[in-house]
């Protein structure tokens, strides 16, 4: 946060706008195929705006409606499909460059997983369904161009029915949350490919899934939830070198066996 001394007190503040819902649709001119994203955008600004607190002067405050409308305007300006990370960076750059009083912009976005559907074995040109896990990002951009960029997955549900040390009759069901910190130190060092981070997100998700399940014919042994979590984190860092560190949260959702007697007196497990 912005830190200043005001009337002998250490003063910190940030102001912003949360939960701006954006849907953006693109149409490829050559193929005629549509592409769609849905983003929930939150913006926080660190600014020199002491007067709004001690002199009742809000002229240095960027209004929340202005933030909301800026999100819409910048989304419209994106003429080609781009990753949620790139949009967060562009939005944060705008606030730090357009407003002289803004020292740092923090843009947090959650992308809903709208997935193209298949009909008769073929991808539909304009049909989509809502998936489960969400793609998240946070871009923190300073006026100097310094960048802190994270990307994540929320609510990736995975389940396997064997290879679990705890009990072979208990389903191994997890809901995964991952936050990864990219190693770029400035806006200028970010790769200039609109879908670069989308590709990295898919790479990370594939690594997590492959590590959890193992080969399709034999699977992989899991001695504990902690061991599986560690292996997934290590595989992510080894196979996606752009990411400098990861944080994983992996609640184990238990399905416990229950004995139910049938009419014949036999025991049935469910």
């Amino acid at each position: 946060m912005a830190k200043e001394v005001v009337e002998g007190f250490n003063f910190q503040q940030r102001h912003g706008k949360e939960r701006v819902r954006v849907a953006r649709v693109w149409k490829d001119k050559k193929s005629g195929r549509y592409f769609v994203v849905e983003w929930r955008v939150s913006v926080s600004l660190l600014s020199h705006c002491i007067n709004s607190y001690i002199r009742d002067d809000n002229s240095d405050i960027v209004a929340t409606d202005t933030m909301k409308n800026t999100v819409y305007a910048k989304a419209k300006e994106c003429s080609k499909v781009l990753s949620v990370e790139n949009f967060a960076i562009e939005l944060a750059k705008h606030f730090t460059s357009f407003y002289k009083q803004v020292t740092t912009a923090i843009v947090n976005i959650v992308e809903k997983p709208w997935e193209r559907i298949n009909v008769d074995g073929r991808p539909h040109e304009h049909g989509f369904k809502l998936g489960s896990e969400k793609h998240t990002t946070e871009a923190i951009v300073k006026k100097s161009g310094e960048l802190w960029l994270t990307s994540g997955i929320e609510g990736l549900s995975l389940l396997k029915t064997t290879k679990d040390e705890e009990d072979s009759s208990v389903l191994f069901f997890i809901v995964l949350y991952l936050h990864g910190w990219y190693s770029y130190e400035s806006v200028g060092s970010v790769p200039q490919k609109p879908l670069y981070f989308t590709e990295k997100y898919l790479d990370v998700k594939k690594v997590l899934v492959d590590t959890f399940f193992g080969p399709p014919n034999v699977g992989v042994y899991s001695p504990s939830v902690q061991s599986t979590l560690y292996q997934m984190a290590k595989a992510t860092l080894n196979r996606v070198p752009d990411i400098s560190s990861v944080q994983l949260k992996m609640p184990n959702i238990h399905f416990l066996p229950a004995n139910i007697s049938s009419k014949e007196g036999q025991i049935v497990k469910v």
Side-chain angles (χ1 to χ4, degrees):
M1 292 186 181
K3 296 182 181 180
E4 299 180 63
V5 177
V6 180
E7 298 178 348
F9 298 98
N10 290 325
F11 177 78
Q12 299 179 354
Q13 67 78 31
R14 60 194 285 180
H15 58 281
K17 176 67 175 177
E18 292 189 337
R19 298 185 298 275
V20 181
R21 187 181 176 199
V22 182
R24 181 68 166 93
V25 179
W26 294 270
K27 183 179 180 180
D28 185 80
K29 293 181 180 179
K30 292 183 179 180
S31 66
R33 177 171 291 184
Y34 287 83
F35 298 86
V36 62
V37 295
E38 182 182 343
W39 295 324
R40 188 181 74 227
V41 183
S42 297
V43 178
S44 292
L45 303 180
L46 281 59
S47 309
H48 293 301
C49 55
I50 294 298
N51 288 338
S52 64
Y53 293 90
I54 65 176
R55 295 188 177 88
D56 301 327
D57 178 3
N58 283 347
S59 59
D60 286 335
I61 293 286
V62 181
T64 55
D65 276 353
T66 300
M67 295 185 199
K68 178 184 67 176
N69 292 333
T70 299
V71 172
Y72 295 148
K74 298 303 288 185
K76 184 178 180 180
E77 288 176 9
C78 297
S79 58
K80 295 182 180 180
V81 185
L82 78 166
S83 71
V84 64
E85 288 87 354
N86 283 108
F87 183 69
I89 293 170
E90 288 301 314
L91 198 55
K93 282 170 53 181
H94 168 82
F95 284 112
T96 54
S97 61
F98 189 82
Y99 297 99
K100 63 180 181 180
Q101 72 273 28
V102 174
T103 60
T104 304
I106 304 169
V107 177
N108 187 290
I109 306 179
V110 177
E111 178 177 295
K112 284 192 173 182
W114 286 105
E115 303 167 350
R116 191 178 304 278
I117 64 170
N118 290 308
V119 176
D120 294 334
R122 295 175 56 190
H124 201 281
E125 299 294 341
H126 54 264
F128 299 85
K129 68 178 181 67
L130 188 60
S132 55
E133 70 275 359
K134 298 178 177 66
H135 182 176
T136 67
T137 192
E138 183 177 78
I140 303 175
V141 176
K142 301 188 74 171
K143 193 176 287 290
S144 63
E146 289 181 75
L147 170 68
W148 291 268
L149 181 66
T150 64
S151 183
I153 300 171
E154 288 188 357
L156 177 60
S157 299
L158 303 175
L159 181 149
K160 59 183 178 180
T161 57
T162 188
K163 296 288 185 178
D164 181 9
E165 170 65 17
E166 294 182 7
D167 187 342
S168 60
S169 65
V170 177
L171 303 179
F172 189 10
F173 176 29
I174 63 166
V175 179
L176 184 69
Y177 300 83
L178 176 142
H179 293 280
W181 283 259
Y182 281 101
S183 56
Y184 310 111
E185 296 181 352
S186 68
V187 171
S189 62
V190 172
Q192 300 302 303
K193 288 178 59 179
L195 292 176
Y196 180 82
F197 292 106
T198 301
E199 295 171 0
K200 293 301 173 184
Y201 171 79
L202 295 175
D203 288 344
V204 169
K205 190 163 68 168
K206 185 177 187 306
V207 169
L208 295 172
V209 170
D210 290 354
T211 306
F212 179 80
F213 290 111
N217 56 333
V218 295
V220 64
Y221 175 70
S222 176
S224 68
V225 173
Q226 291 79 9
S227 175
T228 297
L229 185 149
Y230 174 71
Q231 294 301 325
M232 293 168 82
K234 185 172 69 171
T236 300
L237 292 173
N238 285 339
R239 291 164 59 181
V240 188
D242 294 44
I243 295 179
S244 59
S245 63
V246 295
Q247 182 183 69
L248 281 170
K249 177 183 176 183
M250 199 172 80
N252 187 7
I253 312 300
H254 293 285
F255 285 98
L256 300 178
N259 292 331
I260 300 177
S261 298
S262 68
K263 292 182 179 178
E264 292 76 20
Q266 296 176 341
I267 303 298
V268 180
K269 284 189 175 182
V270 297

